[in-house]
Amino acid sequence: MTTTTGTGRTGTDWQAWQESWDRQQEWYMPDREERFRVMLDMVEACVGSEPRVLDLACGTGSITARLLRRFPKATSTGVDLDPALLAIARGTFEGDDRVSFVEADLTDPDWPARLPYGTYDAVLTATALHWLRSDPLAALYGRVAALVRHGGVFMNADHMIDETTPRINVAERIRRHARMDRAMRDGALDWAEWWQLAAEDPVLAGPTARRFEIYGDHADGDMPSARWHARVLREKGFEEARAVWCSPSDTVLLALK
């Protein structure tokens, strides 16, 4: 997606890419904005309106964008490994000294050493950690616990599947697929179509190719229940942990240090 200035110079419209990513994600998660609102409500309630935030597996910076709109005095560190999504994030927030980005593999035990701060008021993540298997995720939770200051919070908004309710799970999948079919008929881009568009863009083509070398089409992770997440977070150093919001398919899990 390119723009042309009055001088005839062309450049990448990073905001347009940011918005197209949001629309593509909403194709799967129509409650996405409500999840973000609840996350920021709880940030304000627990740590105030000027938080230092770690945007974990930040992607294009969707959480950071909403954080800074609501809390202009907040600061954010985004960390991710995806070169294409990081390119969009860096382009979107270029020149904003409240924001920094770190390229790192969250399965690497040493990734926290790359961060500009030793502790954070809040660590937030959304629709990302289901890419990890349970054992690497539990290890990641231990490293996250060390980064959250006493009294600070961690929140994970993601798909969390309760295997004790198989018939409800089937009904939810039927509902979700019907909604996605309607969105497709309305012309919404799905995951594969969005990435194809990125692969055809002259600026994002290279980062997109590298991204697929790293991840393939999609990582084969786990989606444990909210109960599992809460238990593991307590084991790893948080004092309290429970769901603070849920839909038929997604949960916002909050852990307090």
Side-chain angles (χ1 to χ4, degrees), residues 66-107:
R66 288 153 181 82
L67 172 78
L68 297 180
R69 280 202 297 267
R70 178 157 170 179
F71 307 125
K73 293 184 179 181
T75 57
S76 178
T77 303
V79 59
D80 208 302
L81 185 61
D82 189 312
L85 299 185
L86 275 176
I88 295 171
R90 286 175 168 139
T92 300
F93 296 98
E94 184 177 7
D96 191 333
D97 60 10
R98 299 170 297 175
V99 184
S100 60
F101 292 100
V102 173
E103 184 173 347
D105 183 347
L106 296 181
T107 64

Side-chain angles (χ1 to χ4, degrees), residues 12-26:
T12 300
D13 188 341
W14 295 115
Q15 190 60 46
W17 276 111
Q18 182 77 245
E19 291 171 0
S20 73
W21 176 260
D22 283 342
R23 301 294 84 74
Q24 178 261 127
Q25 290 287 285
E26 288 166 2

Side-chain angles (χ1 to χ4, degrees), residues 12-142:
T12 300
D13 188 341
W14 295 115
Q15 190 60 46
W17 276 111
Q18 182 77 245
E19 291 171 0
S20 73
W21 176 260
D22 283 342
R23 301 294 84 74
Q24 178 261 127
Q25 290 287 285
E26 288 166 2
W27 195 87
Y28 300 94
M29 295 168 289
D31 299 322
R32 187 168 178 257
E33 290 301 327
E34 177 69 5
R35 295 193 315 172
F36 288 140
R37 183 191 66 77
V38 170
M39 292 177 83
L40 296 181
D41 282 350
M42 297 309 297
V43 166
E44 185 172 25
C46 293
V47 300
S49 60
E50 300 182 20
R52 177 192 294 168
V53 171
L54 178 62
D55 187 350
L56 189 71
C58 64
T60 66
S62 297
I63 289 175
T64 294
R66 288 153 181 82
L67 172 78
L68 297 180
R69 280 202 297 267
R70 178 157 170 179
F71 307 125
K73 293 184 179 181
T75 57
S76 178
T77 303
V79 59
D80 208 302
L81 185 61
D82 189 312
L85 299 185
L86 275 176
I88 295 171
R90 286 175 168 139
T92 300
F93 296 98
E94 184 177 7
D96 191 333
D97 60 10
R98 299 170 297 175
V99 184
S100 60
F101 292 100
V102 173
E103 184 173 347
D105 183 347
L106 296 181
T107 64
D108 177 355
D110 297 326
W111 69 265
R114 299 189 182 189
L115 300 176
Y117 304 105
T119 60
Y120 289 84
D121 300 310
V123 178
L124 308 178
T125 188
T127 324
L129 300 190
H130 67 271
W131 284 60
L132 298 178
R133 290 290 189 183
S134 296
D135 286 346
L137 179 55
L140 175 64
Y141 277 170

